[in-house]
């Protein structure tokens, strides 16, 4: 709160409220990216993975999550090149395709950020209830009120600056807490005793557990790739950092995230070997339970700071993301960039934060399983990954192809993920065939970012061929993994087939002209000239066939 007040301005600039002027340096941007990705839910979910799948659980959670941060930067460089002063990915989709594609991406991010906000409040309420005399309801109110207060006035500027302090607290606390719990809980002997007493299965003992890979690792690879490409909290930092610092920022965040989250997940592994039952039967209580059981009061306070810092850093990012979406994609584009009232725009952003906090508090009372929430939202974004990436590289992708691909993927994903139709007979074979194609799509997208189109095609074909012999009759047993892969496959197939014969030849320079600042305190010469001639950028540069 002190930091937020120190940087506050009497009159906030609307663009700075959303992207901090597109010029954040390396230290703050790397810390912010790390803190945003290391959210309380990732800590809790890593602990859950360790408790559920054993020693390989946190590795499958933290390693793939870290690598997904790394996979952002090649795509991020392309996104910034075509839209250097954008505020949201949905805004770029408006410039590329039109309103329907914009609203699809914006809507998925509203849903994702509200769920993320909810899960962070759940994490905060759980630890306050566990480590203090207050109950869960009081805990979520305290967390929500605190985050809202320091973020409300300065928006993203407050979020990114406080992330720097929060990541220092998180990393410092993790270095002390994890070894302390390990030695105070019994040290290396706990593993031998856990095996002897039958607390673990052979799969949970193995670093190469197939259960952990197919139930946790593989679905999470697909989910976090979608998070990396579709999540506005990540995109917002991509648009805020200096363009020449994108690569070192994301590499640094990769290392910081992986080390911290894998380390914290080992608390769940220790709980498994010790035979500890989650308090109240709620697996979300494991992390504060381990800390409260084995650490002295001073270290419990340090753990409390670590968890509060992690959930605050992501909760304020969610609030900033939601405000940017409403400011840009609902208000800004509806009235036109030249007709925006910056003062009203900032007010709309602040009201959005208040409403989002209220919704997240309401949903937090349901106490959802955090790991399930993360995988579900990631799979939803999986429907968008290929159409979004293709839209930044392929001139032929149309608004129809984008929209139909996303809707079709969602229609197929939902019955697979929630088993609305039993995975038997012909339906199971169709789902498994699509999931096998999805493997190639996911690995092909990863290869494309670093190596280009030709290697990506080769990787995709080889991966699909490699899975083909054993995929049928096997993938149907893993509905979470199959659902994610099906989302990728359907969106790829529909988007490709509807675009390949398209005559559209999109000019990517249009995006740079349509996106840009809303609150120009000192208009450039080009903008002054456009204003004098009475031209409206959105109408002047609209591409043929666009619905803008």
């Amino acid at each position: 709160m002190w930091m937020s007040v120190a940087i506050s301005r009497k009159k906030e600039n609307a663009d700075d409220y959303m992207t901090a002027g597109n010029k954040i340096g390396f230290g703050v941007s790397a810390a912010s990216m790390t803190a945003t990705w290391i959210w309380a839910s990732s800590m809790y979910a890593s602990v859950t993975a360790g408790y559920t799948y054993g020693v390989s659980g946190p590795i499958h959670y933290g390693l793939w999550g870290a690598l997904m941060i790394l996979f952002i930067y090649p795509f991020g460089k392309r996104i910034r090149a075509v839209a250097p002063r954008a505020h949201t990915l949905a805004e770029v989709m408006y410039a590329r395709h039109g309103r329907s594609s914009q609203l699809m991406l914006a809507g998925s991010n509203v849903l994702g950020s509200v769920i993320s906000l909810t899960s962070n409040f759940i994490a905060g309420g759980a630890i306050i209830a566990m480590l203090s005399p207050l109950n869960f309801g009081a805990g979520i109110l305290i967390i929500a009120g605190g985050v809202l207060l320091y973020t409300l006035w300065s928006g993203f500027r407050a979020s990114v600056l406080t992330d720097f302090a929060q990541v220092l607290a998180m990393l410092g606390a993790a270095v002390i807490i994890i070894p302390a719990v390990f030695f105070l809980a019994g040290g290396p002997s706990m593993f031998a005793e856990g095996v002897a007493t039958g607390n673990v299965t052979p799969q949970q003992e193995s670093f190469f557990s197939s259960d952990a890979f197919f139930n946790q690792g593989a679905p999470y690879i697909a989910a976090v790739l979608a998070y990396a490409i579709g999540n506005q909290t990540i995109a917002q930092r991509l648009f805020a950092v200096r363009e020449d610092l994108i690569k070192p920022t994301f590499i640094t965040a990769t290392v910081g995230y992986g080390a911290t989250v894998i380390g914290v997940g080992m608390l769940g592994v220790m709980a498994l070997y010790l035979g500890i039952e989650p308090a109240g039967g709620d697996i979300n209580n494991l992390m504060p339970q381990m800390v409260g059981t084995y650490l002295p009061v001073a270290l419990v306070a340090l753990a409390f700071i670590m968890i509060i810092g992690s959930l605050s850093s992501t909760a304020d990012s969610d609030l900033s993301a939601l405000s940017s979406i409403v400011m840009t994609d609902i208000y800004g584009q509806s009235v036109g960039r030249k007709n925006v009232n910056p003062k009203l725009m900032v007010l709309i952003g602040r009201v959005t934060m208040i409403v989002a906090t209220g919704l997240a508090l309401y949903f937090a009372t349901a106490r959802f399983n955090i790991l399930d929430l993360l995988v579900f939202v990631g799979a939803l974004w999986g429907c968008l990954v290929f159409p979004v990436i293709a839209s930044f590289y392929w001139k032929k992708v149309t608004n129809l192809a984008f929209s139909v691909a996303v809707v079709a993927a969602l229609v197929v994903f939902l019955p697979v993920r929630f088993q609305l139709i039993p995975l038997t007979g012909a339906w199971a074979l169709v789902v498994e065939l699509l999931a096998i194609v999805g493997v190639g799509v996911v690995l092909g997208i990863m290869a494309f970012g670093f190596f280009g189109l030709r290697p990506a095609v080769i990787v995709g074909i080889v991966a699909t061929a490699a899975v083909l012999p054993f995929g049928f009759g096997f993938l149907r047993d893993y509905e979470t993994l199959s659902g994610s892969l099906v989302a990728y496959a359907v969106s790829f197939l529909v988007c490709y087939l509807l675009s390949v014969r398209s005559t559209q030849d999109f000019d990517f320079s249009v995006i740079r002209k349509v996106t840009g600042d809303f609150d120009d305190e000192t208009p450039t010469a080009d903008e002054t000239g456009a204003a004098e001639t009475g031209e409206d950028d959105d109408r002047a540069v609209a591409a043929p066939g666009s619905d803008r």
Side-chain angles (χ1 to χ4, degrees), residues 427-464:
W427 170 244
L429 294 175
V430 170
V431 168
E432 287 174 329
L433 178 60
L434 289 172
I436 291 167
V437 174
V439 173
V441 174
V442 170
L443 296 179
I445 289 172
M446 294 178 180
F448 174 71
F450 287 100
F451 307 113
L453 181 59
R454 186 182 297 274
V457 172
I458 294 172
V459 168
I461 292 173
V462 170
T464 300

Side-chain angles (χ1 to χ4, degrees), residues 7-13 153-154 157 343 346 350:
I7 65 166
S8 63
R9 302 169 180 165
K10 185 176 181 180
K11 180 183 177 182
E12 283 289 346
N13 177 284
W153 190 260
S154 299
R157 292 174 56 245
K343 186 176 180 181
V346 173
R350 290 171 179 154

Side-chain angles (χ1 to χ4, degrees), residues 9 13-24 80 84-87 156-157 239-242 517:
R9 302 169 180 165
N13 177 284
D15 298 299
D16 285 0
Y17 194 86
M18 293 186 280
T19 55
N22 310 100
K23 56 188 178 186
I24 297 178
R80 279 295 295 275
R85 299 193 71 81
H87 306 85
F156 179 75
R157 292 174 56 245
F239 290 127
V241 66
R242 260 177 43 196
D517 291 344

